[in-house]
Amino acid sequence: MKFYSTNRNSPLATFEEALMKGLADDGGLYMPVSIPKFDKDFFGRLEEHSFQEIALLIAQKFVEDEIEEDVLKRIINGAINFPAPVVPLDDKISVLELFHGPTLAFKDFGARFMAKAMGHFISKESRELNILVATSGDTGSAVANGFYNTPGINVFILYPKGKVSHIQEMQLTTLDGNVTALEIDGTFDDCQRLVKSAFVDTELTKILNLSSANSINFARLLPQTFYYFEAYKQLENKTGEIYFCVPSGNLGNLTAGLIAKEMGLPITKFISATNANTTFAEYIRSGRFVPRDSILTLSNAMDVGSPSNLTRIQLLYSDNMELMRESIYSDSADDNLTVDTIRRVYENYKYVIDPHGAVGYYVMKKFLSTHQTKNYSAVLLETAHPAKFLNVVEKELNKKIEIPERLKNCMSKEKRSVSISSDYKEFRSYLLDRKQK
Ligand SMILES: *Cc1c(COP(=O)(O)O)cnc(C)c1O
């Protein structure tokens, strides 16, 4: 499969090039030149395949012969080594739990696959690869974990000192080995500025062989298509309309779902739920895209004022708003509605939902109240484990939340980070010093 740049001013790229570059030279995002299709027969026999087998069949359509089958299989089995169960709440509504990976959020799927695929290609080269990632929390831990112990790759995670939650900080700073946590005396924007400055510093990028693990990398979207197929496979009732509700920020998860639908997966409609950062919901309503500064909310992984994957969605529908609205409904829920919903979901189903899932549940119910046909199945993507948001969830439910073992483990380890200022010169010389050693 070849990949084109959404700015259409770069040559076509192979899967390897799209993966290793992340962003095209013209600043555009990579998209496959065509979306491969599965036939009806394939969906009828989905139950015969394990999650990992489904993942392999999908990945092969995009990777083709660039990675040998047994190697691709090893990459997938190493990356997707935890389940994505569909848990029914009632006879029509269920939750797709995407938090069973090591860092307890769906970003593990994308980050782990991308890391293992990069690890494969770098193993053929003699040079080490250095990855820089700025994080405000969740992305950093998923990426760090994905690359952990990958030979030939060093990862530097930049996070703003005192501005990530305690749990997030422990997830970032307890890995060691090829992962270094840089505690930046500044804001998330400072971290991003340092990373961006490094990438335009041609001398530095040459010396260090720098790459990014940016969320716009197509190799992070691809594995997110896998679990839509896996969820469909698990649905009890496939005879009616099928809705998937996606709590949305940068729209990567939604884009992956839309690609899965284009591949033939019979999904009637996507419900995209945003928090008080309503840019996308307003775009679907009005057809006008008005980016804004992001607002802090309780569902902070969705605090995005200018979603980076919008261009991909526009391309999928050739900029046709009517077509887009046939496939996508979008609305939002603010923090008050979010905490209300956490309580309501617990009262109704004894299910503990996290703030991101709660935004989704509220918007999904709103959609169903006006659109429902008698025969439907609605699946809500639960993007993070509630234990990652203890302060919100425990307070609202007045109840202790069980912390999963894999999270407890890192909480008891020793924090290791390198403190540096937000000055680019200091950051640059730190990286060069590390290279000397
Ligand atoms: C990143 C994230 C989101 C938003 O996903 P996008 O693909 O950026 O739309 C939602 N929930 C959680 C928990 C996340 O970490």
Side-chain angles (χ1 to χ4, degrees):
M1 178 72 69
K2 289 284 192 291
F3 295 83
Y4 69 94
S5 160
T6 54
N7 284 351
R8 302 191 188 263
N9 210 359
S10 282
L12 292 181
T14 61
F15 176 77
E16 177 179 359
E17 285 162 346
L19 164 74
M20 300 310 270
K21 278 179 126 97
L23 210 61
D25 289 337
D26 62 6
L29 314 185
Y30 282 115
M31 277 293 270
V33 291
S34 67
I35 306 236
K37 301 251 188 281
F38 287 102
D39 54 24
K40 274 218 168 68
D41 196 44
F42 170 79
F43 293 104
R45 289 185 290 107
L46 214 49
E47 273 142 59
E48 294 166 17
H49 299 291
S50 70
F51 185 17
Q52 293 175 338
E53 283 165 4
I54 293 171
L56 180 64
L57 290 167
I58 299 169
Q60 276 174 327
K61 297 232 179 221
F62 291 92
V63 177
E64 295 179 336
D65 58 3
E66 287 187 57
I67 303 178
E68 311 84 75
E69 178 169 340
D70 61 324
V71 177
L72 187 58
K73 201 172 187 171
R74 208 163 54 232
I75 290 173
I76 284 173
N77 293 356
I80 316 295
N81 58 353
F82 50 92
V86 171
V87 178
L89 294 183
D90 60 31
D91 60 341
K92 289 197 164 69
I93 297 179
S94 48
V95 175
L96 169 60
E97 293 185 344
L98 298 175
F99 54 69
H100 292 276
T103 72
L104 295 91
F106 82 89
K107 291 198 172 66
D108 281 327
F109 287 94
R112 291 173 69 77
F113 177 82
M114 177 182 63
K116 300 214 177 319
M118 279 187 173
H120 162 69
F121 286 114
I122 204 71
S123 70
K124 300 180 167 180
E125 291 180 24
S126 54
R127 304 185 63 190
E128 285 199 327
L129 186 69
N130 288 294
I131 306 254
L132 303 180
V133 200
T135 186
S136 55
D138 276 355
T139 302
S141 54
V143 168
N145 225 286
F147 281 107
Y148 186 50
N149 280 337
T150 305
I153 300 184
N154 301 310
V155 185
F156 297 90
I157 309 277
L158 290 76
Y159 74 97
K161 179 187 169 81
K163 295 191 179 65
V164 302
S165 76
H166 179 58
I167 290 180
Q168 284 173 331
E169 181 167 35
M170 293 311 280
Q171 286 184 311
L172 290 172
T173 56
T174 52
L175 282 171
D176 225 6
N178 64 331
V179 175
T180 306
L182 300 178
E183 191 171 358
I184 306 295
D185 194 2
T187 62
F188 171 60
D189 289 338
D190 289 321
C191 297
Q192 263 190 321
R193 176 177 48 78
L194 292 177
V195 170
K196 281 189 183 148
S197 307
F199 282 121
V200 295
D201 183 337
T202 35
E203 192 192 336
L204 190 76
T205 51
K206 249 201 220 122
I207 300 173
L208 293 178
N209 196 19
L210 285 185
S211 183
S212 85
N214 213 305
S215 68
I216 44 76
N217 197 310
F218 185 80
R220 273 179 64 172
L221 284 190
L222 174 57
Q224 289 174 223
T225 63
F226 303 164
Y227 48 69
Y228 286 96
F229 288 71
E230 171 67 8
Y232 176 80
K233 177 183 95 179
Q234 292 173 58
L235 283 185
E236 291 282 339
N237 175 14
K238 299 182 176 65
T239 61
E241 311 232 297
I242 294 175
Y243 308 124
F244 275 83
C245 177
V246 190
S248 300
N250 269 320
L251 303 171
N253 219 355
L254 177 67
T255 305
L258 296 170
I259 291 175
K261 181 170 154 71
E262 288 300 304
M263 293 176 83
L265 190 66
I267 298 173
T268 314
K269 199 156 193 144
F270 288 89
I271 302 157
S272 167
T274 71
N275 58 26
N277 296 279
T278 58
T279 308
F280 185 65
E282 278 166 28
Y283 170 72
I284 291 294
R285 194 164 30 232
S286 70
R288 267 177 310 147
F289 177 60
V290 187
R292 300 223 165 83
D293 287 341
S294 62
I295 308 166
L296 287 185
T297 74
L298 297 175
S299 46
N300 57 15
M302 290 155 58
D303 293 348
V304 178
S306 180
S308 52
N309 281 291
L310 183 70
T311 332
R312 284 189 166 123
I313 295 178
Q314 289 169 326
L315 275 166
L316 281 173
Y317 296 97
S318 315
D319 266 322
N320 182 326
M321 284 314 293
E322 289 315 308
L323 282 181
M324 224 180 279
R325 288 186 190 117
E326 270 171 35
S327 290
I328 308 166
Y329 166 93
S330 185
D331 210 328
S332 53
D334 64 15
D335 278 353
N336 286 330
L337 292 169
T338 305
V339 291
D340 258 11
T341 304
I342 291 175
R343 187 161 21 84
R344 197 148 59 94
V345 169
Y346 189 72
E347 282 167 5
N348 289 349
Y349 309 110
K350 291 280 167 291
Y351 188 88
V352 180
I353 202 156
D354 96 292
H356 303 80
V359 169
Y361 184 86
Y362 176 85
V363 172
M364 181 173 78
K365 280 301 235 192
K366 193 166 168 184
F367 169 81
L368 291 173
S369 70
T370 53
H371 290 69
Q372 70 174 262
T373 50
K374 279 207 182 69
N375 186 12
Y376 71 90
S377 298
V379 184
L380 168 65
L381 274 60
E382 173 59 319
T383 48
H385 192 287
K388 284 190 103 165
F389 306 92
L390 278 185
N391 52 342
V392 182
V393 179
E394 286 191 336
K395 185 169 138 235
E396 197 50 37
L397 299 181
N398 204 4
K399 155 185 169 33
K400 273 257 160 271
I401 306 295
E402 178 114 26
I403 300 183
E405 219 38 55
R406 58 198 188 285
L407 191 54
K408 263 193 223 153
N409 283 342
C410 83
M411 302 295 284
S412 61
K413 284 191 191 144
E414 191 192 342
K415 168 185 159 182
R416 286 177 195 221
S417 67
V418 177
S419 294
I420 53 177
S421 78
S422 61
D423 175 45
Y424 180 64
K425 278 205 204 90
E426 188 182 337
F427 174 59
R428 188 180 198 274
S429 43
Y430 168 79
L431 290 176
L432 289 170
D433 280 355
R434 274 286 296 253
K435 166 86 180 166
Q436 304 288 311
K437 282 177 192 157

